[in-house]
Amino acid sequence: IGFIEKSQSHYNELINQYEKDGYINYLGYQSDVRPFIKEASCLIQPSHGGEGMSNVLLETAATGRALIASDIPGCRETIDEGISGYTFEKKNTLDLVKKIENFINLPNIERSKMGLMSRRRMEENFDRSIVVKTYEKHIAKICDEAIL
């Protein structure tokens, strides 16, 4: 699921070939991904960076799904390595494949547990009240420093 950026249109041919060969089922852009996440055990986000905190990872983790994502700022914070998912070195296909295989080779009960731990991580670290309190704390500190 996702769209191909216009600047990356050269991937269209490759994706079409992968679909034809039966490696993937590319669904393109979807305005509502919830039905797809509901059917999934895990979400994979291979990002190169510059995105900030990943809403896709936060929202998917909140539904109780395991995560596999690039080890970059904005992604790594959402994952407890080996507990709620896996991170891999950005732009490293072999590392990505290794992490996907690690997940696939887990017993079903362990994959489910990883999803539950992903949900727990969101509740414990990214609940709205926690985020707001953190902002308030930082704003108060900045204001105190400005007064001094």
Side-chain angles (χ1 to χ4, degrees):
I1 295 175
F3 65 93
I4 300 170
E5 296 178 19
K6 290 179 183 176
S7 64
Q8 304 294 314
S9 62
H10 58 280
Y11 285 117
N12 286 321
E13 187 176 316
L14 183 62
I15 288 174
N16 289 337
Q17 186 62 48
Y18 284 168
E19 266 196 303
K20 181 179 173 188
D21 293 343
Y23 296 132
I24 64 169
N25 182 17
Y26 177 61
L27 302 172
Y29 171 80
Q30 300 292 319
S31 61
D32 184 3
V33 297
R34 290 175 295 180
F36 302 100
I37 291 172
K38 184 177 180 181
E39 295 296 319
S41 309
C42 175
L43 180 120
I44 303 169
Q45 185 173 7
S47 298
H48 292 174
E51 299 179 22
M53 186 61 75
S54 172
N55 284 332
V56 170
L57 294 176
L58 294 171
E59 293 167 356
T60 300
T63 70
R65 301 299 181 270
L67 306 173
I68 300 175
S70 302
D71 187 11
I72 59 171
C75 292
R76 73 171 63 103
E77 294 83 0
T78 62
I79 298 171
D80 279 325
E81 188 67 31
I83 297 170
S84 65
Y86 300 106
T87 59
F88 59 92
E89 183 183 356
K90 72 177 182 178
K91 299 183 181 182
N92 185 334
T93 304
L94 295 177
D95 195 27
L96 169 58
V97 168
K98 177 183 171 190
K99 299 305 170 68
I100 292 171
E101 288 175 343
N102 287 350
F103 183 76
I104 289 171
N105 290 322
L106 290 173
N108 286 338
I109 190 77
E110 292 299 316
R111 288 195 301 266
S112 294
K113 183 178 176 185
M114 194 172 268
L116 293 174
M117 296 307 291
S118 194
R119 168 67 186 194
R120 179 179 288 169
R121 180 159 178 77
M122 291 307 106
E123 291 172 347
E124 293 175 354
N125 296 286
F126 295 97
D127 180 86
R128 183 179 301 256
S129 62
I130 295 169
V131 173
V132 169
K133 285 178 187 175
T134 301
Y135 274 117
E136 289 173 342
K137 180 180 169 184
H138 287 290
I139 291 169
K141 182 180 176 186
I142 291 168
C143 290
D144 289 344
E145 290 173 356
I147 293 172
L148 297 176

